[in-house]
């Protein structure tokens, strides 16, 4: 039995991007990007895709799914003569960050062949996106809502020439209620296209989408359940909820200098934690869905470039984002759904590297935490933190919390004031256009 396993591992070691059938330009691009050998999902997917099959790919986070679908598409683009003009492939992803990341990977892999790729997502001016689409890029990577906006409102834009449709993180696309938008996109694509559907799990909604968009697909499954990689060390700390900030600060001191993502459940908590940590001297930035797209991308860039080493995030950063150098993931809040835990901790220990994940479990989180252990099929070890040492930070924490709360109130009041001023301005403009004089203000007594 062991001999058979050793033989299998040896065969896997012999697999290269060249042996999968990719053209020379793409093999050199893989080497330039530091891809030493194909991952499991790439080994299984690429040969099937090169034969022209539709693909269903099921794989855990951090498995190399993007290259698994990007490389066959680019290989076909290079080998098709004459070179196709206009949109060749459409990729749909659930979040703005994932859209930009996939776009960057396509651009990097296709840099030697003059690939034109464009990212289309909300939060960015539609006019500039329309200009980019008018240049007829080979690859469009888009969020479903904004892609439908352009199909309905951008003159001259269509997907009639597209030969590929790729749905990434399909289970999340459907959980976020994008089914209507996806069906609209499918309805305007050519029938003789090729389709790839990649998902973490095969839910009933994904099966329904598969039947609507794929023809006789080949199924590739490299993980049949939610699991975490062997190089990831996972721990928990059981603590009183009122001292959660204190334990977080203690951990960040313990792992000072490490690249860390702290996950919490709400935008408000995300913003508050970033303020508290900055008051304590930590280089923390935050990212959540309430921020403008330029600010979200700016925060992500600073973290990737190691200008900041602590990122406080909601689940907007939990799936798909490839940040290679994350050393530690802290679950400040235990997620409601166990699978979100897997995606969160998947931000570290990627591509064979080591990493650590620590979950802060309060008296209110025990049931959720037990569901996580049940899902991943293992009992986690406790991270030893002496409470008497941790609580020595409490005085500084309380002061930082007070200052952060004050800034949060100031920020909220400022936003409310701007909103009221904007509404008053609109009302006065409306009165002016109607020819009526604005009502005089009452004098306060």
């Amino acid at each position: 039995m062991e001999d058979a396993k050793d033989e299998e591992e040896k065969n896997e070691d012999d697999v290269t991007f060249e042996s999968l059938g990719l053209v020379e330009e793409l093999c050199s691009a893989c080497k330039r990007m530091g891809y030493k050998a194909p991952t499991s999902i790439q080994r299984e997917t690429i040969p099937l895709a090169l034969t022209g099959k539709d693909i269903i790919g099921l794989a855990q986070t951090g498995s190399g799914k993007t290259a698994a679908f990007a490389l066959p598409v680019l290989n076909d683009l290079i080998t098709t003569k004459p070179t196709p003009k206009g949109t060749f492939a459409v990729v749909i992803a659930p979040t703005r960050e994932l859209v930009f990341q996939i776009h960057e990977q396509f651009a990097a892999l296709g840099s030697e062949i003059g690939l034109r790729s464009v990212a289309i997502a909300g939060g960015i001016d539609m006019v500039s996106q329309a200009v980019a689409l008018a240049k007829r890029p080979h690859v469009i990577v888009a969020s479903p809502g904004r892609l439908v906006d352009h199909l309905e409102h951008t003159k001259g834009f269509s997907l009639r020439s597209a030969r590929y449709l790729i749905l990434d993180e399909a289970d999340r696309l459907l959980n976020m209620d994008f089914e209507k938008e996806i069906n609209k996109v499918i309805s305007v694509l050519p029938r003789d296209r090729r389709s790839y559907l990649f998902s973490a799990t095969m839910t009933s909604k994904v099966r329904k989408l598969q039947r609507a968009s794929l023809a006789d697909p080949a199924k590739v499954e490299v993980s049949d359940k939610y699991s975490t990689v062997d190089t990831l060390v996972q721990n928990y700390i059981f603590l009183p909820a009122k001292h959660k900030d204190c334990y977080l600060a203690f951990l960040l001191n313990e792992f000072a200098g490490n690249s860390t993502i702290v996950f919490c459940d709400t935008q408000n908590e995300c913003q508050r934690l970033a303020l508290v940590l900055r008051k304590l001297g930590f280089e923390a930035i935050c990212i959540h869905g309430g921020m403008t797209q330029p600010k979200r991308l700016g925060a992500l860039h600073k973290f990737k470039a190691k200008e900041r080493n602590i990122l406080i995030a909601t689940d907007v950063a939990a799936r798909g984002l490839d940040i290679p150098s994350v050393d530690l993931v802290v679950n400040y809040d235990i997620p409601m759904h166990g699978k979100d835990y897997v995606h969160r901790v998947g931000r570290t220990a990627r591509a064979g590297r080591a990493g650590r994940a620590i979950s802060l479990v309060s008296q209110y989180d025990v049931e959720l935490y037990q569901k996580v252990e049940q899902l991943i099929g293992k009992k986690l070890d406790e991270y030893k933190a002496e409470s008497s040492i941790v609580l020595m930070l409490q005085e500084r924490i309380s002061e930082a919390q007070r200052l952060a709360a004050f800034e949060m109130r100031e920020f909220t009041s400022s936003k409310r004031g701007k909103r009221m001023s904007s509404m008053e301005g609109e009302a006065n403009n409306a009165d002016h256009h109607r020819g009526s004089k604005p009502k005089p203000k009452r004098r306060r007594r």
Side-chain angles (χ1 to χ4, degrees):
M1 188 74 175
E2 286 186 10
D3 290 342
K5 188 176 180 182
D6 291 341
E7 186 65 31
E8 186 180 340
E9 288 178 356
K10 184 180 177 183
N11 291 338
E12 287 181 0
D13 291 339
D14 292 339
V15 176
T16 63
F17 288 104
E18 289 88 348
S19 68
L20 293 179
L22 295 171
V23 296
E24 185 181 340
E25 295 94 325
L26 293 179
C27 293
S28 63
C30 290
K31 288 176 184 173
R32 191 181 65 252
M33 292 179 69
Y35 300 166
K36 294 179 181 177
T39 64
S40 297
I41 188 71
Q42 292 161 7
R43 285 195 300 270
E44 297 290 331
T45 300
I46 291 172
L48 288 169
L50 292 180
T51 65
K53 297 283 289 183
D54 283 5
I55 302 288
I56 299 172
L58 301 177
Q60 65 189 44
T61 184
S63 59
K65 286 184 287 183
T66 304
F69 61 71
L71 288 169
V73 169
L74 296 178
N75 198 87
D76 194 12
L77 180 62
I78 294 168
T79 54
T80 300
K81 302 298 178 186
T83 303
K85 295 181 180 179
T87 301
F88 191 71
V90 179
V91 185
I92 298 179
T95 66
R96 300 172 185 178
E97 285 73 24
L98 192 51
V99 165
F100 284 96
Q101 181 174 290
I102 294 170
H103 157 68
E104 287 168 5
Q105 200 153 356
F106 263 103
L109 287 168
S111 60
E112 291 185 8
I113 62 169
L115 179 79
R116 296 190 306 277
S117 176
V118 64
I120 302 296
I124 305 294
D125 176 48
M126 272 192 72
V127 175
S128 61
Q129 290 179 346
V131 171
L133 290 171
K135 295 177 181 177
R136 305 181 75 186
H138 298 114
V139 177
I140 297 172
V141 188
S143 58
R146 180 51 62 94
L147 184 58
V148 169
D149 285 344
H150 281 288
L151 285 169
E152 292 178 345
H153 302 114
T154 299
K155 191 175 180 181
F157 172 60
S158 79
L159 299 175
R160 285 192 297 271
S161 65
R163 298 193 190 184
Y164 285 88
L165 169 67
I166 299 152
L167 300 169
D168 194 22
E169 303 281 3
D171 53 340
R172 194 172 181 200
L173 279 168
L174 298 173
N175 285 341
M176 294 168 72
D177 293 329
F178 284 128
E179 188 173 357
K180 183 180 176 184
E181 288 83 355
I182 292 169
N183 288 335
K184 281 187 179 179
V185 174
I186 291 172
S187 70
V188 299
L189 286 166
R191 285 183 174 274
D192 59 347
R193 68 180 185 274
R194 296 176 190 172
S195 300
Y196 302 156
L197 186 154
F198 283 80
S199 180
T201 53
M202 181 54 75
T203 65
S204 57
K205 285 186 177 180
V206 173
R207 285 193 184 90
K208 181 181 173 185
L209 181 59
Q210 168 205 327
R211 290 194 293 271
S213 59
L214 280 72
D216 189 25
K219 186 177 179 182
V220 176
E221 189 170 5
V222 298
S223 179
D224 59 355
K225 64 174 184 176
Y226 277 104
S227 59
T228 51
V229 295
D230 295 334
T231 54
L232 175 66
V233 178
Q234 299 175 78
N235 302 115
Y236 73 92
I237 299 178
F238 190 64
L239 48 83
K242 64 180 180 180
H243 294 314
K244 205 184 256 191
D245 287 0
C246 211
Y247 275 84
L248 176 61
F250 168 79
L251 280 177
L252 295 177
N253 275 323
E254 286 277 288
F255 293 91
N258 284 270
S259 176
T260 303
I261 300 181
V262 180
F263 282 106
C264 47
D265 285 345
T266 67
Q267 296 177 11
N268 192 65
E269 191 76 317
C270 190
Q271 198 80 41
R272 185 194 70 82
L273 269 183
L275 287 172
V276 168
L277 293 175
R278 285 202 288 266
K279 300 300 177 190
L280 293 168
F282 294 104
E283 292 189 334
I285 50 173
C286 66
I287 180 170
H288 56 74
M291 297 165 63
T292 63
Q293 189 59 29
K295 284 187 176 180
R296 283 162 67 170
L297 290 174
L300 204 54
H301 173 74
K302 285 181 180 179
F303 186 66
K304 281 186 173 183
K306 299 185 179 179
E307 294 173 25
R308 300 286 187 274
N309 69 333
I310 299 171
L311 180 68
I312 316 297
T314 57
D315 281 325
V316 74
R319 284 181 75 164
L321 297 189
D322 185 19
I323 308 170
S325 59
V326 177
D327 304 306
L328 173 68
V329 166
V330 178
N331 284 303
Y332 181 85
D333 294 315
I334 305 298
M336 292 291 291
H337 304 289
K339 63 183 180 180
D340 291 330
Y341 171 88
V342 177
H343 292 301
R344 287 181 180 186
V345 302
R347 298 309 98 211
T348 186
R350 296 174 75 83
R353 287 180 287 267
R356 184 185 290 269
I358 302 175
S359 298
L360 306 184
V361 184
S362 76
Q363 64 270 35
Y364 308 114
D365 303 319
V366 174
E367 189 176 345
L368 290 174
Y369 176 72
Q370 287 172 338
K371 287 180 180 178
V372 167
E373 287 191 328
Q374 187 177 0
L375 181 74
I376 64 175
K378 62 174 71 174
K379 290 280 184 183
L380 305 190
D381 297 324
E382 184 178 6
Y383 185 87
K384 300 297 182 183
E386 196 66 49
S387 61
S388 58
I389 296 173
V390 174
L391 295 179
M392 288 171 67
L393 298 167
Q394 188 57 57
E395 190 175 336
R396 287 185 61 206
I397 295 293
S398 297
E399 178 63 11
Q401 288 171 331
R402 186 184 66 80
L403 294 171
F406 177 76
E407 279 195 33
M408 290 283 285
R409 284 195 299 271
E410 287 283 297
F411 178 71
T412 304
S413 298
S414 172
K415 281 182 72 175
R416 191 181 296 120
K418 285 180 181 177
R419 199 181 303 121
M420 291 299 292
S421 297
S422 174
M423 289 170 66
E424 285 179 9
E426 289 174 6
N428 286 339
N429 285 337
D431 287 341
H432 174 74
H433 288 305
R434 284 195 298 266
S436 62
K437 295 180 181 179
K439 294 179 181 178
K441 291 183 179 178
R442 268 187 195 173
R443 188 177 298 170
R444 287 187 178 177
R445 298 185 181 276

